[in-house]
Amino acid sequence: MNSFGTIFRLSLWGESHGVQVGVSIDGVPAGIPLSEKDFEHDLARRRAGAEGTTARCEKDIPRIVSGIFEGVTTGAPLTIVFENHDARSADYSDLRKLPRPSHADFTAAVKFGGHNDYRGGGHFSGRMTLAITAAGVVAKKILGPEVRFSTSTAEIAGYFSSVMQSGVIESALVEGDTLGGVVQCRINGAGTGLGEPFFDSVESTAAHLLFSIPAVKGVEFGAGFLGTLKRGSEYNDSIVDSSGRTSSNNDGGVNGGITNGNTIVVRAAIKPAASILKPQQSFDFAAGEPATIQIRGRHDVCIALRAAVVVEAAMAIALADLKLRM
Amino acid sequence: MNSFGTIFRLSLWGESHGVQVGVSIDGVPAGIPLSEKDFEHDLARRRAGAEGTTARCEKDIPRIVSGIFEGVTTGAPLTIVFENHDARSADYSDLRKLPRPSHADFTAAVKFGGHNDYRGGGHFSGRMTLAITAAGVVAKKILGPEVRFSTSTAEIAGYFSSVMQSGVIESALVEGDTLGGVVQCRINGAGTGLGEPFFDSVESTAAHLLFSIPAVKGVEFGAGFLGTLKRGSEYNDSIVDSSGRTSSNNDGGVNGGITNGNTIVVRAAIKPAASILKPQQSFDFAAGEPATIQIRGRHDVCIALRAAVVVEAAMAIALADLKLRM
Amino acid sequence: MNSFGTIFRLSLWGESHGVQVGVSIDGVPAGIPLSEKDFEHDLARRRAGAEGTTARCEKDIPRIVSGIFEGVTTGAPLTIVFENHDARSADYSDLRKLPRPSHADFTAAVKFGGHNDYRGGGHFSGRMTLAITAAGVVAKKILGPEVRFSTSTAEIAGYFSSVMQSGVIESALVEGDTLGGVVQCRINGAGTGLGEPFFDSVESTAAHLLFSIPAVKGVEFGAGFLGTLKRGSEYNDSIVDSSGRTSSNNDGGVNGGITNGNTIVVRAAIKPAASILKPQQSFDFAAGEPATIQIRGRHDVCIALRAAVVVEAAMAIALADLKLRM
Amino acid sequence: MNSFGTIFRLSLWGESHGVQVGVSIDGVPAGIPLSEKDFEHDLARRRAGAEGTTARCEKDIPRIVSGIFEGVTTGAPLTIVFENHDARSADYSDLRKLPRPSHADFTAAVKFGGHNDYRGGGHFSGRMTLAITAAGVVAKKILGPEVRFSTSTAEIAGYFSSVMQSGVIESALVEGDTLGGVVQCRINGAGTGLGEPFFDSVESTAAHLLFSIPAVKGVEFGAGFLGTLKRGSEYNDSIVDSSGRTSSNNDGGVNGGITNGNTIVVRAAIKPAASILKPQQSFDFAAGEPATIQIRGRHDVCIALRAAVVVEAAMAIALADLKLRM
């Protein structure tokens, strides 16, 4: 449910318009220097503000409430909380009877008998990724500086060039529409031997985390779906030296679920955000008839932009847990 | 590692050329009629024999060794084993020093200090999917006949038409090469409310299992990667009645990680099998220099054909566990 | 580590002298009315103040920071925090080099390389039982009013009578010494069929939780250790009607790890608190020689008094999780 | 349910009169020499035959069916099975309607809707401890020879002397009655730092496993229940040197849930076996009225004798898992 991991284990909580979003992380080795400042860089990458992102602007200041003593981790659970400040609940008061298309409004209401906090998606909000981002910072500390992440929103609505991306964002913004994208994360220096046989492979562990990020609808490693077009003789990555270096990297750095020392390559498909400003068809559960829904509030044109650091965090979490299990 | 699930929990074991492959399933409700005969249909779907599949032909007769009494499940662990008979270990004797490209030979040796059973991939063999297939049969019994699976190898090397697929298989067979493919699974009747918030979403649970199947390198739900090309106004699935039925199904039956009652759609990218008969470059770890490897033995031209039932089994296992958690 | 449970799953954090103690509870069914007021009764039972308890007097006001909306649980994680106010860290500054006998000072320092928060025992403090007590309140809500708990400190230093108990407490207080005791918890109305075969029996699940309470050194069910003095013909509980009612209850309401409908009876041995005011022998790790330690600060004479509600909470948590797994 | 452990993880299956009893162990490090012969010593300790044990005499020959290659463990799941041969099912045919007092017959039938395999207790049989004993052998290999176990049936029906124990066994045998006992296990050489804070303490992990052994009704560490009679000043274990050695050992080698380097001492109360030959009162669920039950078959007079090695195995399993988590 809301916890994940075998040794490096996170439990998260919170709602979009509740008191706070938080995460408690178990299994953090003792003795790692850590302060609130360490979170700034990644939180800034996730923060709204750039072109294509929401006008809701939480400061997102992390507060470490356990697990730190004299500036280093203690080995006890490390807990980080973010208070919610800039929530405008009134914007969401109709969602109970009129669920937003492609949102969790309907499924959450069914699952929880209508008791879910529907404001801003409640627990199903993208705001929960704050907790993932924070945990990712801790995970990277565990992995150490030799594990290097290079993550970007490689595609927006299918466009690779930043000029075209900028143009399509502007047009969608004007139209009150949203855009999908693909986040790509490349990881160097993770070494060989990470990953456990069968169910806890690198791919399984990472995909489990990645698909828990709202809006992720596809995950692929290495050549992924395009790799199915190749023949084995074109696809196979030949080992060229005793370190396991390969001449190509169609497998994205993972064989049999275990890292082979080459660059880990993962791509995540981020669907266009469901909250568009254009009127849409939905069903009025109070009236028992179809109705038009007009979403208001402040939303992202392209969440794939802000999702990049979250995808990176998920990969860091997966690798940190697998490293601690070795 | 080798166990998965919260309530419906599998533990599997075995090696390609060991004594047996087996799976013990915990959490099976008592009172379900079950016999060895129930496994025949799905095992036949996984079995070699058709065009494009290996000539190694295990009978794969399941033996239930616990959890059944008087023809029904007892509530105690249900254990199913398959003895290995038709293994020819001599075919694999060089893998220790000369790992096959894009196989787990190198990573397994690194991880297990050279103690892994390398014969036929050992524990990393596709033969382990026998256990998944068997567990899938039990999972479908738990889901009941109202949950209907429709699974096929939708693409082979990018071809959708069976004529073209047959042609490309024949050509790859002649060349001693292998082909990738995409398995698509559509599930009707699973109802609403399956899936748990955040980490144990339908997508996360299913992807975790799917990526543990050897050769799966990509997983997508609904419109998946193609969905990133759409705008929100095109992508969003409008609810059209009080049951939650939607006019389109880009989300593949899942919102916020929870089933919305529409068809669940999942696609898995299956890479071309690594075992090709063409000579390949690899590295001779004994001699410390590059060397040519020539794989012998009996192999599949297109494992995506036999993987279809395994993908279906993985989906059934994921849904059965989520159902039992409700 | 710091999380427990299969469906009703707690994660806790905090230190004696840190910012806060908290618990996040996953798997709480939606729709349960709950407010901060509901915690008052059990928190008061745990609170210091009575004869034999510490003079440190935290108000222990719970704050629900997630999982509640419009007065009922939402199905999302329920998180409860307690801020620390009345901590006097200066009292503990010598523990780093001079560990208190029978405390976790030495073992925590070894395990965490000296990075543990040693103040007041840090994460190993009895203050963590606040989180257990709070989770117990939620667990009892899930079990419903038909499950009735009757818990008491049955023995103090071997004495059953309250007059004698009062006398021995007074004498120990004067001497700066501490007393052990036995907490007994009797549970009616839990019904039949709770508990899972083999590892997740009622006894295993409950004992796991009970032994995580600091100072618990023994746990027994039904006749427990005394039951080993009986012959089978004296011990066996004869079933007397179709509900499973038995003529005796030596098994304490559990057979084969599963509740049989009779009163569940459990007893927990609570050792005398390690913090005594008398001078003791210990070892000065800075000087490398034996030294006398004189503990100051405010402590309990008999923690078994305050532990009663914690034992009850642990039992409620165990039963709630087992109930939700049925 | 039927699996346990975080890294060293067992899954067990089987029934008293089914095909086999088995255990699959995940997380066994690669490279440990292991053969069927290694199990002989501990299996012999568990085997019937001595005074006070059942006449049912299974050969209990272990068969390793996965996880071994060329005489050493491979890192893949290690699976060990025991076929059942000497079962006489006819002896048990009445248990369905007339449950044995203090057995799991009634609770298992309630829990599993009457579908449980009732023969000889089915999955609730003491025969399942074969799997624990085998897993214990593997656990001890992981711990290495420096961890030394000394385990005995310290008390039988309250008697400590072997002469008195022999006498009381003889008398119970003649009367068709059974006896309880206490198994004590002392472990040296486990070192410091084993055990995880809060829920996965040494005591919690060990007690979880110990209480899953059929007939265990009490567990205590160090001075345990008797320790509650002492004052803190008598109970506290003073540290006398820099290795953490203590002048007394009332805490049984564990502080704050973590080993302190001193002898780990644990005691388990084993109730008198429920199967006595004397006629007993029970309830005939078919007739709906009280009835006399007369158990036949071959049973143990004092299962505490055969339980000693099982208690030791449980402790070894707990410590091995905690060691692999460090």
Side-chain angles (χ1 to χ4, degrees), chain C residues 141-186:
Chain C
K141 289 265 177 180
I142 292 171
L143 292 170
E146 68 274 20
V147 182
R148 299 175 305 282
F149 293 81
S150 170
T151 312
S152 64
T153 307
E155 298 177 34
I156 293 178
Y159 293 106
F160 291 83
S161 100
S162 58
V163 174
M164 291 302 291
Q165 290 178 352
S166 190
V168 74
I169 287 172
E170 199 170 336
S171 121
L173 182 63
V174 168
E175 297 166 29
D177 216 332
T178 57
L179 301 169
V182 175
V183 171
Q184 180 169 287
C185 177
R186 298 170 59 85

Side-chain angles (χ1 to χ4, degrees), chain A residues 34 61 86 247 288 309:
Chain A
L34 190 76
I61 297 169
D86 188 25
S247 57
V309 68

Side-chain angles (χ1 to χ4, degrees), chain D residues 28-98:
Chain D
V28 180
I32 299 178
L34 190 76
S35 75
E36 274 91 349
K37 248 188 112 53
D38 290 308
F39 296 86
E40 275 180 18
H41 179 68
D42 278 1
L43 291 174
R45 291 168 66 194
R46 187 193 161 280
R47 194 164 294 143
E51 180 188 40
T53 64
T54 177
R56 172 175 174 178
C57 197
E58 291 280 4
K59 290 236 184 55
D60 296 340
I61 298 169
R63 185 175 166 233
I64 303 177
V65 296
S66 78
I68 291 284
F69 182 52
E70 299 181 342
V72 300
T73 56
T74 62
L78 179 73
T79 308
I80 305 150
V81 300
F82 299 87
E83 304 295 322
N84 288 330
H85 298 293
D86 188 27
R88 303 186 191 166
S89 299
D91 289 343
Y92 295 97
S93 48
D94 283 339
L95 302 185
R96 205 162 224 172
K97 57 171 197 168
L98 192 59

Side-chain angles (χ1 to χ4, degrees), chain A residues 12-26:
Chain A
L12 47 77
W13 63 87
E15 295 88 15
S16 180
H17 291 60
V19 175
Q20 64 177 214
V21 165
V23 60
S24 188
I25 313 175
D26 212 346

